[in-house]
Amino acid sequence: MAWPAFALIMVMALSRTKNVRAPRGFGLWLLFMLWTLCTVAQVHEPGRIAGFFFRYGLYVGATVFFIYVYNARRTLTARRILGILTAFWLIVVAGGYAGIAFPVLEIRTALSFLLPDSLLGNNLIHEMAFRGLTQFNPDPDAFVVSAPRPSAPFLYTNSWGNAYSLLIPVVLAYMSMVRREKKFWFLVLILPVSFVPAFLTLNRGMFLGLGVALIYVAVRAALAGNTRIILSVAAIAIAAGIAVSALPVMERLDQRTENVSSIETRADLYVETFERTLESPVFGYGAPRPSENPGAPSAGTQGHVWIVMFSHGFPGLALFMGWLLWLFLKTIRRRDLVGLVCNTVILISLVEVFYYGVLGAGLVIIMTAGALGLREQESQSDIVREGADKGVDA
């Protein structure tokens, strides 16, 4: 719930700024926002309407983050932005270790004293009001049965894995920027230490996203002849291999895949989501709806692609994925370290939106990376044009 609040402060700052700008192509995202708002007409239950505007508030918050970062070129340098995101990554890692240390601890937040029992009866609101440090459900009839998996500071383990994987390229780039400072050695120590909660989350999607990112960065570095990046990727791969060998990761993964039917159930849910969207292909349903299969999660969940498709129809999905693809193609043109990092973050998002929801921290990270990648690219081209106008060999 903090992201819209932060965005409100940014709006106040932007209101005092002259000539607020947006990149070409931003209209694609604005069309998505407009289309999403139109689909609220498909929601009729009061509870789902409240949920709709909660999710829409997160979209609005991420939009404001994008505009703010894109315009704050003097006050928010690339190094400062990457440093702030690295600090957030440290909080994510600390939350992971808190989950390992106190797996069944439940924190009653101030929200729980303010909300009536009728609202606390909603599963999502209850989980927000009574915060656990892990995602743990011992019910043998549940969708997923597993040992406690770190999730703090987020509600769900998948959100932890999504944020962690999106931030790893950022951390590595920031380390390169501060390699002559003391904080570099601190991060050198923390990076392999962070593998412990990361692997214990058993987030298969996170492993896939990071694997694709490592291969992508290695290929681009090889094509550019950048030995330093290639060696960094190799070092990370070796450290990850050692962590996998030292931790009971494979054993727990085997237990998880053998003892639960989550993969099969998720596949059935995706088929159901697609088939039900065909019944309302233009505007969708405005929000997820209960599954027709007892015990399964709601249709229109378990991945942001499915959330958007089911809630906002195929036009909404086309606009959302079109925006991410546009960001990827625009940032891929850059050859510098910051551009490579921003481009890689967006690539990871393109992989993980099929099985992770990104509303909240994930979308804010994606939009921040997109704004940073686009603004630097534009400022460099502006410098070239300015130099050409003055007769300087830019």
Side-chain angles (χ1 to χ4, degrees):
M1 296 178 68
W3 304 114
F6 292 151
L8 180 61
I9 298 172
M10 292 179 177
V11 168
M12 295 170 64
L14 287 169
S15 66
R16 303 176 183 178
T17 304
K18 296 181 180 179
N19 301 321
V20 175
R21 304 170 61 192
R24 294 179 181 177
F26 187 64
L28 189 64
W29 177 257
L30 292 182
L31 282 175
F32 168 74
M33 294 292 292
L34 178 61
W35 186 265
T36 299
L37 188 59
C38 291
T39 62
V40 72
Q42 299 292 94
V43 186
H44 305 292
E45 300 88 346
R48 289 201 176 92
I49 291 176
F52 176 92
F53 283 107
F54 171 70
R55 288 188 293 273
Y56 196 76
L58 294 176
Y59 280 124
V60 172
T63 305
V64 173
F65 267 78
F66 181 91
I67 294 297
Y68 187 88
V69 170
Y70 187 77
N71 285 273
R73 304 181 184 214
R74 294 182 180 178
T75 56
L76 284 178
T77 62
R79 170 174 166 148
R80 188 176 181 188
I81 291 172
L82 298 183
I84 292 170
L85 291 175
T86 298
F88 183 55
W89 175 80
L90 291 172
I91 294 173
V92 172
V93 173
Y97 270 100
I100 293 173
F102 307 101
V104 294
L105 177 65
E106 184 178 76
I107 301 172
R108 182 169 186 175
T109 69
L111 188 65
S112 66
F113 296 99
L114 299 175
L115 296 178
D117 292 339
S118 57
L119 286 179
L120 289 176
N122 179 278
N123 288 336
L124 175 61
I125 296 177
H126 186 275
E127 290 172 347
M128 294 171 67
F130 296 87
R131 299 298 294 268
L133 302 182
T134 63
Q135 191 172 350
F136 175 43
N137 192 345
D139 184 358
D141 297 323
F143 173 58
V144 174
V145 184
S146 67
R149 300 161 60 206
S151 61
F154 308 104
L155 287 180
Y156 305 115
T157 300
N158 285 350
S159 299
W160 195 101
N162 178 240
Y164 179 86
S165 57
L166 290 172
L167 290 170
I168 281 292
V170 171
V171 174
L172 295 175
Y174 185 68
M175 290 174 64
S176 177
M177 292 180 173
V178 300
R179 59 181 179 273
R180 293 184 178 88
E181 302 176 25
K182 291 181 180 179
K183 61 183 72 173
F184 170 80
W185 298 107
F186 173 73
L187 292 173
V188 166
L189 174 64
I190 296 298
L191 184 61
V193 170
S194 74
F195 292 162
V196 176
F199 283 122
L200 292 181
T201 62
L202 304 181
N203 270 325
R204 295 162 291 188
M206 179 190 68
F207 300 152
L208 176 60
L210 284 175
V212 170
L214 284 176
I215 295 171
Y216 177 74
V217 170
V219 170
R220 286 198 57 177
L223 292 174
N226 194 322
T227 307
R228 178 181 294 176
I229 293 181
I230 294 174
L231 291 175
S232 298
V233 170
I236 293 172
I238 292 171
I242 293 173
V244 169
S245 301
L247 297 169
V249 178
M250 300 309 298
E251 178 184 348
R252 290 194 179 186
L253 277 174
D254 290 340
Q255 291 176 353
R256 188 169 179 230
T257 54
E258 287 176 4
N259 297 337
V260 302
S261 58
S262 64
I263 298 176
E264 243 178 66
T265 306
R266 181 172 290 200
D268 293 340
L269 183 66
Y270 291 159
V271 172
E272 178 191 349
T273 299
F274 180 77
E275 290 177 345
R276 290 177 65 178
T277 304
L278 291 176
E279 299 173 5
S280 181
V282 179
F283 292 104
Y285 297 90
R289 300 286 178 89
S291 172
E292 296 173 348
N293 299 317
S298 296
T301 61
Q302 308 303 310
H304 207 76
V305 163
W306 312 99
I307 293 173
V308 173
M309 181 182 72
F310 188 85
S311 301
H312 314 302
F314 292 113
L317 177 62
L319 290 169
F320 180 82
M321 294 302 294
W323 168 249
L324 291 184
L325 286 170
W326 182 84
L327 283 179
F328 178 76
L329 294 175
K330 291 291 287 186
T331 56
I332 201 174
R333 299 177 182 180
R334 293 183 54 175
R335 298 293 182 266
D336 61 303
L337 177 62
V338 173
L340 176 60
V341 167
C342 294
N343 184 244
T344 303
V345 169
I346 297 165
L347 174 64
I348 294 173
S349 73
L350 283 168
V351 174
E352 295 187 355
V353 289
F354 286 91
Y355 44 82
Y356 286 163
V358 297
L359 270 181
L363 188 58
V364 168
I365 295 168
I366 294 165
M367 297 293 265
T368 300
L372 178 60
L374 292 175
R375 81 174 194 186
E376 295 298 334
Q377 180 184 32
E378 183 176 281
S379 63
Q380 288 170 4
S381 62
D382 288 345
I383 292 172
V384 171
R385 286 196 297 269
E386 183 180 349
D389 292 340
K390 294 180 179 179
V392 179
D393 185 6

